[in-house]
Amino acid sequence: GRHLYVAAFFSGAVVRFTRNAATGALTFAGFNDSGFDNESLPTPEGVTVTPDGSGVFLALGSNDKIVSFRRDPVTGALIYADEVSDDPSAPGLQGVNSVTTSLAGRYVIAAARDSGAVTVFHRDETQRLTQVQVELSGPGVPLAGARGIGVGPGSVYATAGTGDAVVAF
């Protein structure tokens, strides 16, 4: 609760704020506008912080990838850790726009509108991701235009804009 991160779509950055615990007031604290080797972060659409506060994950819809950062618990600064892209080894990230973690933080879950998919990754202690499951839109799974993702005890929920649906897993 000490920091807030915002995916700044048009600025191509993750904006960081510090939060006053007593009042809730936010103060600008900086931003990250690059990943590995200063690669830009074009059109970030979704951002999430792990429950333990050690990692931050960013959905880059125009690049079909998720970028992961380690998080400094004192300053909130983000340090590039890894990224996964939509490719044969990790399909289902075309137009990835929403990302969250499981309640315990072991998994990162993403929704991708162009793939019409929900993809689950295992997260290790260095914030690296390994794909474990992908669910694509199809008969009985109306994920076309997947837009949002949420979690609850034992469940994952996805909204599907084109499919006009909420899908529960």
Side-chain angles (χ1 to χ4, degrees):
R2 292 172 38 185
H3 300 99
L4 172 73
Y5 300 90
V6 176
F9 184 83
F10 290 111
S11 299
V14 179
V15 182
R16 182 176 76 247
F17 296 90
T18 57
R19 183 181 159 273
N20 180 307
T23 66
L26 299 174
T27 304
F28 175 76
F31 63 93
N32 286 67
D33 61 356
S34 62
F36 184 69
D37 288 337
N38 287 324
E39 179 182 336
S40 67
L41 298 174
T43 60
E45 296 188 50
V47 64
T48 193
V49 180
T50 61
D52 66 3
S54 66
V56 173
F57 295 88
L58 182 65
L60 298 177
S62 65
N63 278 20
D64 305 332
K65 69 172 65 174
I66 298 172
V67 178
S68 61
F69 298 91
R70 291 185 309 280
R71 181 183 162 274
D72 181 302
V74 176
T75 67
L78 302 179
I79 300 99
Y80 174 86
D82 194 22
E83 60 188 60
V84 291
S85 299
D86 186 78
D87 62 33
S89 66
L93 292 179
Q94 291 180 350
V96 62
N97 55 60
S98 183
V99 64
T100 192
T101 67
S102 61
L103 295 178
R106 290 183 53 207
Y107 299 95
V108 172
I109 306 144
R113 76 181 155 269
D114 299 341
S115 295
V118 171
T119 305
V120 180
F121 298 89
H122 179 265
R123 172 182 78 95
D124 71 16
E125 64 279 350
T126 67
Q127 311 314 325
R128 294 189 188 277
L129 300 177
T130 304
Q131 183 179 318
V132 295
Q133 182 177 355
V134 62
E135 292 291 333
L136 298 168
S137 187
V141 186
L143 287 172
R147 207 67 184 124
I149 196 84
V151 296
S155 297
V156 173
Y157 303 93
T159 60
T162 307
D164 292 329
V166 175
V167 180
F169 298 95

